[in-house]
C-alpha cells in the first residue's frame, strides 16, 4: 500500500498508529523526535505520507512539516493534543493537509489517511496534451497532478494544488472562501476561513509574478484567477 512516516515522542501513540495502519497494509516508519523524522524522510525518497506530532524533542512538528515541504508535496497530517485555532492555523500555514487532535479515533484516523492517499495518488491514465489547463505561462496537468510555470515544475501541497486547480478550471469565476473550504477541506471541516487565505498566500508566493498578477482577491468574498 503506502509507506507512512509516523513521528511522535510517545511510544504508545506510535505503536497504536503503527498497529492500526499496518492492518490496512501500510508500511510504517517510526521516529521518536523531529530530527529523526527529518533524517528518515531524507533517506527514504519513496515515503507517501507523514503523520507528525507537534510537540516533539529536537525539532517540533511545524518545522518538520516545513522541511518536508521544501522538497515534497506528500500528504502531511499533524496529530496533536493542541486544539486551539492558533495551533491549527500554524499547522496549515506550515504546509499540513489535515489536523487531528488527541485523543482521536483510530478508525477515523485510518479513514482520513486513506482519503488523503487516494486524493494525492497520481492517476494511472496516460496524460495527453488535451488534458492540460494552460493559462499563459502556467500549465496544469490534472491527470498527473503536475504544475509547470515557464516550463519549470512547481511543487504544491495537496490542498494548495486543489485550490489552484479549482480556480484555474474556471478563470474569471469568483469562489468564496466557504466554497473553497467545502471543495478542498470538505463539508465537515469546522476551521476558520483564514485557512483559505494562508493557502492562497502560499500559492501566490510559489507562483511568483504569475501568482501576484493573476490570482486576485475579491475583498469580502473570495478569490478568482483573472487572465
Amino acid at each position: 500500500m503506502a509507506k507512512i512516516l509516523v513521528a511522535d515522542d510517545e511510544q504508545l501513540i506510535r505503536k497504536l498508529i503503527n498497529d492500526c495502519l499496518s492492518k490496512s497494509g501500510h508500511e510504517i516508519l517510526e521516529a521518536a523526535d523531529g530530527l529523526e523524522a527529518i533524517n528518515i524522510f531524507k533517506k527514504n525518497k519513496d515515503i507517501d505520507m507523514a503523520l507528525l506530532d507537534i510537540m516533539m524533542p529536537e525539532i517540533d512538528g511545524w518545522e518538520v512539516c516545513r522541511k518536508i515541504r521544501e522538497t515534497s508535496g506528500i500528504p502531511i497530517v499533524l496529530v496533536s493534543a493542541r486544539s486551539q485555532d492558533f495551533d491549527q492555523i500554524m499547522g496549515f500555514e506550515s504546509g499540513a493537509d489535515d489536523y487531528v487532535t488527541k485523543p482521536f479515533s483510530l478508525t477515523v484516523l485510518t479513514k482520513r489517511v486513506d482519503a488523503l492517499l487516494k486524493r494525492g495518488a497520481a492517476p494511472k491514465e496516460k496524460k495527453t496534451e488535451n488534458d492540460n489547463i494552460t493559462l499563459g505561462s502556467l500549465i496544469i496537468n490534472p491527470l498527473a497532478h503536475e504544475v509547470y510555470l515557464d516550463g519549470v515544475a512547481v511543487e504544491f501541497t495537496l490542498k494548495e494544488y486543489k485550490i489552484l486547480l479549482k480556480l484555474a478550471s474556471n478563470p474569471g469565476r469568483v469562489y468564496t472562501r466557504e466554497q473553497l473550504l467545502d471543495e478542498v477541506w470538505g463539508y465537515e471541516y469546522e476551521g476558520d476561513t483564514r485557512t483559505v487565505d494562508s493557502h492562497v498566500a502560499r500559492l501566490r508566493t510559489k507562483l511568483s509574478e504569475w501568482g501576484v498578477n493573476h490570482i486576485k482577491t475579491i475583498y469580502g468574498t473570495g478569490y478568482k484567477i483573472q487572465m
Side-chain angles (χ1 to χ4, degrees):
M1 294 287 284
K3 181 179 286 189
I4 302 175
L5 170 63
V6 176
D8 196 302
D9 59 330
E10 295 185 51
Q11 184 178 5
L12 177 59
I13 297 295
R14 296 199 310 272
K15 184 179 187 305
L16 287 172
I17 296 176
N18 191 334
D19 291 346
C20 182
L21 296 182
S22 295
K23 290 179 182 178
S24 298
H26 301 303
E27 178 184 351
I28 309 301
L29 303 179
E30 294 187 25
D33 59 62
L35 182 59
E36 183 180 11
I38 291 174
N39 289 334
I40 290 175
F41 179 78
K42 289 180 178 179
K43 293 177 182 178
N44 295 269
K45 301 299 184 182
D46 56 344
I47 287 177
D48 299 296
M49 172 181 278
L51 302 181
L52 309 174
D53 183 33
I54 290 180
M55 302 309 294
M56 292 189 292
E58 303 294 340
I59 302 175
D60 64 45
W62 290 318
E63 185 60 26
V64 175
C65 188
R66 294 187 191 99
K67 291 291 185 183
I68 291 176
R69 280 289 168 258
E70 290 177 0
T71 59
S72 175
I74 64 168
I76 298 177
V77 179
L78 292 179
V79 183
S80 176
R82 301 173 66 107
S83 59
Q84 298 298 313
D85 287 349
F86 166 79
D87 300 307
Q88 298 191 40
I89 291 171
M90 278 285 291
F92 289 122
E93 289 182 345
S94 299
D97 296 289
D98 203 352
Y99 194 105
V100 177
T101 56
K102 300 177 183 178
F104 53 83
S105 163
L106 287 170
T107 301
V108 173
L109 178 65
T110 301
K111 293 297 184 182
R112 290 193 181 203
V113 166
D114 290 343
L116 280 172
L117 287 171
K118 184 177 181 180
R119 292 172 195 164
K124 298 184 183 301
E125 296 93 340
K126 183 178 180 181
K127 62 181 182 179
T128 67
E129 189 68 27
N130 292 333
D131 296 321
N132 294 343
I133 297 172
T134 302
L135 298 172
S137 57
L138 184 76
I139 298 175
I140 304 173
N141 187 310
L143 293 181
H145 285 213
E146 295 174 345
V147 180
Y148 294 89
L149 181 62
D150 294 321
V152 179
V154 184
E155 291 287 338
F156 296 101
T157 68
L158 178 59
K159 285 184 169 55
E160 290 168 357
Y161 171 79
K162 292 179 74 172
I163 291 173
L164 177 62
L165 181 61
K166 191 67 178 178
L167 296 176
S169 297
N170 296 279
R173 174 177 170 177
V174 177
Y175 286 91
T176 67
R177 292 171 175 83
E178 290 76 14
Q179 286 175 323
L180 292 172
L181 275 176
D182 291 344
E183 179 73 23
V184 177
W185 279 265
Y187 290 99
E188 297 180 356
Y189 179 74
E190 298 179 352
D192 197 294
T193 55
R194 288 176 295 176
T195 298
V196 175
D197 297 334
S198 63
H199 278 69
V200 172
R202 289 204 302 273
L203 272 177
R204 284 201 183 102
T205 299
K206 291 182 178 181
L207 292 173
S208 304
E209 186 177 351
W210 192 98
V212 173
N213 290 337
H214 298 296
I215 300 179
K216 302 297 184 180
T217 301
I218 308 303
Y219 291 100
T221 305
Y223 299 94
K224 69 175 180 178
I225 284 182
Q226 184 67 56
M227 298 305 296

